[in-house]
Amino acid sequence: MTSAEAGTLRRLAPPARRFLAHRKGVLVRLALWSLAESGQAFLVGHAVARSVDEGFLAGDPRRGLLWLGIALVAVLSGARVVRGVFAQLAGVTEPLRDGLVRRAVDRSMARAARGGPGGTDRAAVSRLTNQVEIARDSFAGLVLTLRSFVFTAAGALLGLLSLHPDLLVVVLPPLAAGLALFLVTLRPMAAAQRRALAADEALGDHAARARAALRDLAACGTGPGAERSGADLVADAAAAARTLAGWAAVRTAALGVAGHLPVLALLVAVEWLRGHGVSVGALLGAFTYLVQSLLPALHTLMTALGAAGSRLLVVLDRILGAEPEPEPESGSGSRPSTASAPRAAAFTVDTAAVPALELRAVTLSYGVRAEPVLDALDLCVAPGEHLAVVGPSGIGKSTLTRLVAGTLAPSRGEVRVAGRPVTARPAAELAALRVLVPQDAYVFSGTVGDNLAYLRTDASRAELDAAVGAFGLGPLVERLGGLDATVRPAELSPGERQLVALVRAYLSPAPLLLLDEATCHLDPASEARAEEALAGRAGTLVVVAHRLSSAVRADRTLVLDGVRAQCGTHAELLGRSPLYRDLTGHWNS
């Protein structure tokens, strides 16, 4: 037994003793019914032996049939015994289940009452809906099988001894060997069960976190990272299940040894037993004890200890064990935890000596036979440059921003931000390299200041005030009640939500900002003011333009036309890009 398992048993022993001490009456009645089962096991084998020796072999078939009738009555009485056992079993298992439910609920409510992100008990659902039922079923199975094995084995072994002592000499060694082989599997089986339950809880916890932060994942471009984490947890759960299945196979082999060797040993030893005065009836009685009583009880016991026992120990440790310390997370109220949000400070880049953004023969197709959305696109954007991306609807502008953000992998080619490939890069590193602001801006339920400083939690009040002024957000902040006032996202217009998201991106330390039509809900004046503020920020700005005025304000513009991309200044593109001239003329009209 491992030190962890020994510690678990020591921790669970006192509450187990208290629980059983309050149910002595039920346990006494259960023992009385079990004594009846022991007598039944003794009587069946003994009656078979007497029917052969004193009846059929002695030439008295009536006496033989009488003993067989007694055996039949003993077998049929087993139904009444089982009914009585189950009636008493409910008096033990149901109070256990109710107590575990109360414990799980109290534990979860206590964590929730502490408040904050650390107070959330995401494993409570698994404990209430899965682990409590596992504990009840496992406990019931253990009570049934342990009780049955002890009393049935006592009756059968006493019957073997009454028939002839040499029968025990033959039967007991293979039984003990099979049981010992089985006991070897108990510890690794319990460890595998513990890992399987831990993997199940971790997967449920990840699902709860991801479900609560779906908009965060989309807004910050960390969805692929969350997906990879989920895939890893699924793989861990599958590996734990395979390990558990492997030990179950070993346990099954041990069951086969214990279930077949005693019968084979008895067959091999028939001649020796006959030489020691064992009668034919005693041999048949011994086989009856083995096949009808002892071996089925042993098989059931080994199955219960191997599966229900290990599950019960692990689950009770989960439900009744010491309360784990809350996970260290920052933030308060309804604000999403910054532990699941990208942390720019976790990854630093020297952007002075390399391009801010570089695409090398990037091709992307949404299918093997589909036409490429982007075809061998080359692009180099210098640090501090302001680039606008224009083109007809559906031409691939949003696809380009997703490729640059690292949330979409190219079919061919390479995308580099600050000299580093973005494909398959961890979410924390991507967050330090770029910020993507989508068309549907996300504002969470929290304070105004928390929303604005979400990507830079150490921003000072002066920096927040300066950013609010640069974007003309002062009237909105004043209307909401100041930076410490609570935001109700549903009460903000789409344009107001976009302004909040733009200020959030402005304050981010990431060197590259990607705006995917992030100003589409702003009026032209507000859009111009926002882009001017973002362009004046230290770093590189790439804007998927909603209006052609964004292209005029940019240092360069990338035109996507589905045939070949062209990049240049406003004046250069008017001279060499028919599509850009058409777009500009439409805008002028």
Side-chain angles (χ1 to χ4, degrees):
M1 179 177 293
T2 65
S3 59
E5 292 165 346
T8 298
L9 287 175
R10 286 194 298 269
R11 186 165 58 252
L12 297 180
R17 286 195 295 268
R18 290 193 298 269
F19 176 80
L20 294 176
H22 287 84
R23 287 156 185 85
K24 292 180 180 178
V26 175
L27 295 178
V28 169
R29 290 191 293 273
L30 194 60
L32 292 176
W33 281 110
S34 300
L35 279 174
E37 187 173 356
S38 181
Q40 175 205 12
F42 173 85
L43 191 56
V44 170
H46 193 78
V48 169
R50 296 288 293 272
S51 71
V52 172
D53 288 338
E54 299 178 8
F56 300 112
L57 290 182
D60 189 354
R62 291 181 60 186
R63 189 177 183 85
L65 291 175
L66 177 62
W67 279 110
L68 288 181
I70 294 173
L72 178 61
V73 171
V75 171
L76 294 178
S77 67
R80 182 70 182 91
V81 172
V82 170
R83 180 181 176 183
V85 167
F86 272 91
Q88 300 305 318
L89 183 65
V92 179
T93 58
E94 294 308 310
L96 174 70
R97 179 187 182 279
D98 295 341
L100 293 179
V101 168
R102 284 193 297 270
R103 168 63 179 170
V105 171
D106 290 344
R107 179 179 180 180
S108 179
M109 294 298 291
R111 294 194 63 179
R114 288 199 294 263
T120 302
D121 188 5
R122 299 179 180 90
V125 174
S126 177
R127 283 194 290 270
L128 285 173
T129 61
N130 186 29
Q131 296 181 27
V132 165
E133 294 304 319
I134 289 177
R136 182 184 67 170
D137 294 344
S138 300
F139 180 69
L142 281 177
V143 171
L144 281 175
T145 53
L146 284 172
R147 174 207 58 79
S148 177
F149 175 75
V150 169
F151 287 94
T152 301
L157 292 176
L158 185 61
L160 287 172
L161 182 62
S162 69
L163 294 177
H164 201 286
D166 286 344
L167 293 171
L168 292 178
V169 175
V170 175
V171 169
L172 280 181
L175 278 176
L179 185 60
L181 179 62
F182 167 76
L183 292 176
V184 172
T185 69
L186 286 181
R187 188 168 69 178
M189 192 84 172
Q193 185 68 51
R194 189 182 301 275
R195 287 194 297 270
L197 277 176
D200 177 65
E201 284 193 357
L203 184 59
D205 180 74
H206 174 78
R209 289 177 182 271
R211 184 171 61 252
L214 283 178
R215 290 192 290 183
D216 274 341
L217 296 175
C220 301
T222 54
E227 182 180 354
R228 287 192 295 271
S229 298
D232 291 341
L233 290 173
V234 170
D236 291 342
R242 285 193 295 270
T243 302
L244 191 61
W247 283 110
V250 176
R251 184 199 66 198
T252 302
L255 290 175
V257 171
H260 293 90
L261 282 184
V263 176
L264 293 176
L266 194 59
L267 288 173
V268 171
V270 166
E271 184 178 354
W272 179 81
L273 290 170
R274 291 287 292 156
H276 284 72
V278 178
S279 66
V280 174
L283 286 173
L284 288 177
F287 279 110
T288 301
Y289 281 127
L290 284 178
V291 177
Q292 295 295 324
S293 300
L294 193 57
L295 294 184
L298 180 62
H299 184 280
T300 306
L301 173 70
M302 294 169 69
T303 302
L305 286 178
S310 59
R311 284 200 305 267
L312 180 63
L313 185 64
V314 173
V315 168
L316 288 181
D317 188 31
R318 292 279 178 181
I319 299 176
L320 301 177
E323 178 72 13
E325 292 296 322
E327 296 178 7
E329 297 186 41
S330 60
S332 61
S334 301
R335 178 185 175 188
S337 165
T338 55
S340 61
R343 292 183 180 271
F347 185 70
T348 57
V349 186
D350 179 12
T351 60
V354 296
L357 170 61
E358 188 176 9
L359 275 69
R360 300 177 178 177
V362 170
T363 298
L364 183 109
S365 299
Y366 291 105
V368 178
R369 299 181 182 276
E371 291 292 328
V373 179
L374 298 175
D375 191 4
L377 176 62
D378 292 307
L379 178 67
C380 186
V381 181
E385 188 175 2
H386 178 186
L387 177 74
V389 181
V390 300
S393 178
I395 202 65
K397 303 187 296 295
S398 295
T399 297
L400 176 62
T401 60
R402 291 180 61 195
L403 287 168
V404 174
T407 61
L408 184 65
S411 305
R412 292 188 299 275
E414 186 179 41
V415 180
R416 288 178 172 265
V417 173
R420 297 177 179 271
V422 297
T423 303
R425 186 163 293 280
E429 296 186 10
L430 285 176
L433 291 171
R434 89 290 180 268
V435 173
L436 171 63
V437 184
Q439 180 177 350
D440 296 322
Y442 171 51
V443 176
F444 55 83
S445 296
T447 67
V448 177
D450 284 344
N451 270 278
L452 299 181
Y454 180 52
L455 299 179
R456 185 184 166 191
T457 56
D458 60 347
S460 66
R461 180 59 65 97
E463 289 171 321
L464 292 177
D465 291 337
V468 167
F471 284 80
L473 203 61
L476 173 61
V477 174
E478 184 178 352
R479 191 190 83 207
L480 294 175
L483 293 175
D484 295 325
T486 300
V487 176
R488 294 178 178 83
E491 297 178 2
L492 299 183
S493 69
E496 290 170 338
R497 288 197 292 271
Q498 283 190 333
L499 279 175
V500 171
L502 290 171
V503 174
R504 182 189 300 155
Y506 173 82
L507 290 168
S508 166
L512 174 62
L513 295 189
L514 303 170
L515 307 185
D516 186 6
E517 296 195 11
T519 60
C520 63
H521 296 298
L522 302 182
D523 59 77
S526 298
E527 179 186 56
R529 183 171 186 169
E531 286 189 6
E532 182 181 356
L534 292 170
R537 171 188 179 276
T540 305
L541 177 63
V542 176
V543 179
V544 173
H546 174 65
R547 300 181 179 95
L548 263 294
S549 55
S550 297
V552 176
R553 286 189 291 267
D555 299 324
R556 286 192 302 158
T557 299
L558 174 66
V559 182
L560 300 178
D561 60 6
V563 178
R564 62 188 182 91
Q566 297 192 58
C567 190
T569 65
H570 174 68
E572 291 170 346
L573 291 173
L574 285 176
R576 68 171 188 255
S577 173
L579 175 60
Y580 188 74
R581 285 196 299 271
D582 290 343
L583 293 173
T584 306
H586 178 72
W587 168 61
N588 287 333
S589 64

